[in-house]
Amino acid sequence: LGTLKLDATNIGITIDRSRAVFALKDVRAYSGVFKGQFVANNRNGLSVGGRMKAEGIEASKALGDLAGYDRLSGTTSVALEFLGSGGSEDAIMRSLSGKGAMTMGRGLISGINLDTLMSSGTDMGGTTVFDNLSASFTMQAGDLQNDDLAMALPNYRADGKGRIGLGARDIDYLITPVALRARS
């Protein structure tokens, strides 16, 4: 489907008076499974919405195909509810509302070593190995708001909060490292 690559798929589609409901019964992709529903409604103007859960998804493969970003690796679980409306992709993105959450166990970020960066202030590249990553978010008027990003590394914790403009395509986000033990 465009840039997305699916494996075994069980989807039911119901169409009634300009409204299509896609029931994602069992969609295998990116080493995991997606379930939920997606609705496209054009009865009184176009709106799209859905409720979806994904379990066991390999982040680097999924983010690589969705956003061209493959530096984050690990097994991820995601829950998402969303609704948007408008006559164009831009209008829909600027109207998005909803909520969601993601969790990831042990994982990697390629191209940066946060442990070295946070301990010495310099980054020579490398890889960040983290123990877990989690975040929840809300969306309103095309802005995604997150106040509880938490990443656990062996010597640090990284907390994050801020806004991601899905419609405006901008970011105002702060990540704060916290040392877990005193070092020289």
Side-chain angles (χ1 to χ4, degrees):
L1 299 174
T3 62
L4 301 177
K5 297 173 184 80
L6 305 180
D7 294 325
T9 301
N10 182 358
I11 297 176
I13 301 172
T14 304
I15 300 174
D16 178 42
R17 297 181 346 228
S18 300
R19 182 176 187 266
V21 178
F22 300 83
L24 308 177
K25 298 174 183 178
D26 187 34
V27 177
R28 303 288 167 152
Y30 306 105
S31 303
V33 62
F34 292 81
K35 294 185 179 190
Q37 77 173 19
F38 175 79
V39 178
N41 185 346
N42 199 23
R43 290 181 180 162
N44 294 312
L46 179 61
S47 66
V48 293
R51 286 187 320 270
M52 297 177 200
K53 287 189 178 185
E55 298 285 337
I57 305 304
E58 173 46 52
S60 66
K61 294 177 185 175
L63 289 173
D65 284 355
L66 285 169
Y69 183 83
D70 61 0
R71 294 171 52 174
L72 178 65
S73 300
T75 302
T76 308
S77 295
V78 178
L80 173 65
E81 294 180 22
F82 67 96
L83 177 63
S85 63
S88 67
E89 179 184 346
D90 180 64
I92 291 170
M93 294 302 288
R94 291 178 184 274
S95 74
L96 281 174
S97 62
K99 63 183 179 177
M102 63 87 57
T103 59
M104 181 183 286
R106 189 167 178 82
L108 303 170
I109 303 173
S110 301
I112 186 170
N113 186 327
L114 291 175
D115 195 42
T116 301
L117 178 63
M118 288 188 270
S119 64
S120 69
T122 60
D123 176 39
M124 310 286 190
T127 300
T128 298
V129 177
F130 59 88
D131 295 323
N132 57 62
L133 172 67
S134 65
S136 64
F137 59 88
T138 59
M139 294 180 291
Q140 187 65 41
D143 284 334
L144 183 146
Q145 183 70 38
N146 163 259
D147 295 322
D148 66 353
L149 177 95
M151 178 189 294
L153 289 85
N155 295 309
Y156 294 92
R157 172 180 99 226
D159 300 330
K161 63 181 179 177
R163 181 193 63 79
I164 300 173
L166 301 172
R169 297 177 190 243
D170 63 350
I171 298 174
D172 181 8
Y173 203 88
L174 176 65
I175 295 178
T176 305
V178 178
L180 299 177
R181 56 183 70 76
R183 297 196 295 182
S184 60

